[in-house]
Amino acid sequence: MRKHTRTTDRRGFLALAGALAATAVTTPASGAPPAVRASSTPSAGSAAPAVPAGSGSEHRETGIVRSLERAAHPLRSTEPGGRTGDLRALSAMVGSAKVVGLGEATHGSHEFFAMKERVFRHLVEERGFTTFALEMSWSAGLRIDEYLQGGPGDPRRIATETLAGSPWEREEFVSLIVWMREHNRRRPGHRVHFMGDDLGAPKLGDHIFERVLSSVGRTRPEVLSRLTELYAGLRPLDDIFNYLRTPIAERRANAVRAQEALDLVAGHRVADENQAWTVRHARNIAETFAFATVDLADPASVTAAERLRDRAMADNVLWWQRHTGHRVLLSAHNGHVGYLSTHPDMYPRTQGAVLRDSLGSGYAAIGFSFAGGSFLTKDAALDGEWKPVTVPAARPGMNEHLLDRVGYRDFCLDLRTVPAAARAWFDRARPVYDAGSTFVADPLPSLALGRAYDALIHLHRVRAADKLRHGASAQ
């Protein structure tokens, strides 16, 4: 999750299902469009400043728009279901990639969430994909996958248990879970899976500790007593936000204990399926406690924590893909699936960059952009409810303003093959709409889209994602 702090002019994402920050951020009131000003700050990943469009550039931009209309592929809909012929161009952009990152410019827009289900269905049915990975805790992903494979429960209860408090506690993700469960019922020979690729926030829960202890108790009973002792003071970690308010010396001591537990579990070298999963669970516990040693008053510590987190997310995806052989659709914020962040001082090496370095052409990054509308954010990173914020149509000088001049309402675009003039435009940092757990419109961050993603899905307008209807039937 992403955050842009006014006090430090930095994006301060500091948690997985909710951001962590040392300072509160003021956001525009719901329904009151903020004043948008083009940023004059340096690019994310580039020294070139963002330059607003002027009258002298109008003719050049018109030529770029015309070239983009020839390169763009219109989308029939963002809603899942129905024909998917319009997605074949996007599917071709994916090629033979083993992992496809599909971003989101906000954590709370209906169209982004619905489009992800639509794209995943297409990739499952037409390209053999079998895993949907989400920027959420590893342990919560395990719980959802148990349900998808025939476990007990109902989709709303599962969503409430695993997604509570996160921006994904929405009807759109209930719809995805329902479709995946039904797909597995109809096609047991081509089952789909759900994974959480993130660390343990907002909670690890107790069941992941129990999984490790239960496995070790069966295979290495001689070390169970020590492992139980190490985990005794750590479990269950039900609220990482409150945990981050405990003294840092205590958190550092707990991280040492969690690492010792991982070393104990991983030291038993056996080529065994159960052992491989047990080590992965123990690693997630250790990395969560290592991340939670962050000193929120120290910018260098915050950056180090974010580097650890993106590396851990990438490692989880790589392990899953290599261990299962599945083709994976990875859903996360644009700044995690792409190769550049809008604030490289805070996020010097993204998950997407790690995946590209590891997989080469086996990884493809698809970003999302939108030209205006509403989405969900919070007033402060640590507190409050998700509520709608509205932004006006993109202004001249913004990437989205140029994209919205293309003669299709919604479309996808291969940024690697656009004409030279368009490529030059996208290789320069320009202001973008980019929101996460909080949002500040002035100044907007900037990004060079052509260096951040392989492909782009641009939407004309978005609306806030649908609140989960507790107690209603999802069937």
Side-chain angles (χ1 to χ4, degrees), residues 195-217:
M195 76 163 289
D197 76 328
D198 220 327
L199 304 179
K203 65 180 181 179
L204 272 171
D206 200 53
H207 69 282
I208 192 167
F209 292 94
E210 195 54 45
R211 281 175 184 252
V212 177
L213 291 168
S214 176
S215 173
V216 170

Side-chain angles (χ1 to χ4, degrees), residues 69-93:
E69 286 176 344
R70 293 190 293 271
H73 301 273
L75 296 172
R76 180 185 64 81
S77 175
T78 58
E79 297 300 311
R83 303 183 309 277
T84 62
D86 58 316
L87 294 181
R88 287 175 186 153
L90 185 68
S91 184
M93 296 174 204

Side-chain angles (χ1 to χ4, degrees), residues 339-407:
Y339 308 127
L340 297 175
S341 162
T342 51
H343 288 270
D345 54 342
M346 182 71 72
Y347 306 94
R349 185 166 165 77
T350 66
Q351 175 184 210
V354 176
L355 291 171
R356 178 177 59 180
D357 288 349
S358 298
L359 296 173
S361 61
Y363 179 70
I366 304 172
F368 263 111
S369 63
F370 71 106
S374 299
F375 48 87
L376 300 171
T377 65
K378 300 196 293 184
D379 287 331
L382 287 173
D383 302 299
E385 299 295 323
W386 295 88
K387 62 184 183 179
V389 167
T390 300
V391 295
R395 306 289 178 85
M398 295 177 63
N399 279 307
E400 295 88 344
H401 182 268
L402 180 84
L403 289 163
D404 218 44
R405 292 176 61 188
V406 172

Side-chain angles (χ1 to χ4, degrees), residues 10 36 43 55 82 90 92 98 175 260 266-267 316 350 359 412 447 471:
R10 293 164 67 101
V36 178
S43 154
S55 57
L90 185 68
K98 300 174 182 177
S175 174
E260 184 180 340
N316 282 334
T350 66
L359 296 173
C412 60
L447 188 69

Side-chain angles (χ1 to χ4, degrees), residues 162-382:
T162 57
L163 303 173
S166 80
W168 304 292
E169 187 187 6
R170 306 292 152 195
E171 284 294 316
E172 292 84 357
F173 277 92
V174 172
S175 174
L176 174 64
I177 292 170
V178 168
W179 180 83
M180 293 177 74
R181 168 105 167 191
E182 176 60 18
H183 172 89
N184 285 347
R185 186 192 68 79
R186 289 185 292 105
R187 299 190 60 187
H190 180 51
R191 305 184 75 83
V192 293
H193 294 266
F194 194 107
M195 76 163 289
D197 76 328
D198 220 327
L199 304 179
K203 65 180 181 179
L204 272 171
D206 200 53
H207 69 282
I208 192 167
F209 292 94
E210 195 54 45
R211 281 175 184 252
V212 177
L213 291 168
S214 176
S215 173
V216 170
R218 291 191 303 270
T219 60
R220 299 178 66 200
E222 71 278 6
V223 302
L224 181 60
S225 176
R226 177 55 180 160
L227 188 62
T228 301
E229 179 184 357
L230 289 168
Y231 279 161
L234 307 180
R235 58 189 300 191
L237 191 61
D238 277 335
D239 188 341
I240 196 171
F241 306 116
N242 281 333
Y243 179 74
L244 284 167
R245 296 183 173 99
T246 62
I248 193 167
E250 179 182 336
R251 288 184 275 132
R252 287 172 176 165
N254 285 341
V256 170
R257 294 169 67 86
Q259 182 61 44
E260 184 180 340
L262 170 60
D263 293 341
L264 191 64
V265 173
H268 186 51
R269 300 292 181 182
V270 176
D272 174 79
E273 175 79 1
N274 179 69
Q275 170 70 0
W277 283 97
T278 302
V279 172
R280 182 54 45 176
H281 301 331
R283 186 175 304 281
N284 189 257
I285 293 170
E287 289 174 338
T288 298
F289 278 94
F291 174 86
T293 62
V294 61
D295 182 351
L296 296 177
D298 179 2
S301 177
V302 171
T303 297
E306 294 298 348
R307 183 188 287 271
L308 181 156
R309 177 173 176 251
D310 271 71
R311 177 77 220 190
M313 289 194 293
D315 284 348
N316 282 334
V317 172
L318 290 168
W319 181 89
W320 181 286
Q321 196 283 318
R322 290 165 178 164
H323 188 76
T324 64
H326 295 179
R327 298 186 76 183
V328 179
L329 182 67
L330 168 62
S331 169
H333 192 277
N334 279 346
H336 289 306
V337 304
Y339 308 127
L340 297 175
S341 162
T342 51
H343 288 270
D345 54 342
M346 182 71 72
Y347 306 94
R349 185 166 165 77
T350 66
Q351 175 184 210
V354 176
L355 291 171
R356 178 177 59 180
D357 288 349
S358 298
L359 296 173
S361 61
Y363 179 70
I366 304 172
F368 263 111
S369 63
F370 71 106
S374 299
F375 48 87
L376 300 171
T377 65
K378 300 196 293 184
D379 287 331
L382 287 173

Side-chain angles (χ1 to χ4, degrees), residues 52-62 425:
S55 57
S57 64
E58 180 63 28
H59 179 74
R60 178 173 63 89
E61 289 183 16
T62 298
W425 172 279

